[in-house]
Amino acid sequence: MYAALWRSLPGPAWVRALTCVVLVAVVVAVLFEWGFPALAEVLPFNDNTVG
């Protein structure tokens, strides 16, 4: 899968590497902004069992 992504990106190797770093940063930012907060509402990690 990563090889197919690498081959589909245009430009020389350093441009491809920079594009991959930017894509990973965008995915991480989207997860921290919308993905993880949406999951935090349904996961029981904030439920205390000791009163």
Side-chain angles (χ1 to χ4, degrees):
M1 178 175 167
Y2 298 114
L5 177 64
W6 185 260
R7 285 191 305 267
S8 67
L9 292 173
W14 67 272
V15 173
R16 292 179 191 182
L18 183 63
T19 306
C20 285
V21 168
V22 169
L23 287 174
V24 167
V26 167
V27 168
V28 168
V30 166
L31 283 175
F32 273 104
E33 190 67 31
W34 293 291
F36 297 143
L39 285 175
E41 297 174 0
V42 296
L43 293 176
F45 295 135
N46 291 334
D47 296 341
N48 293 332
T49 57
V50 178

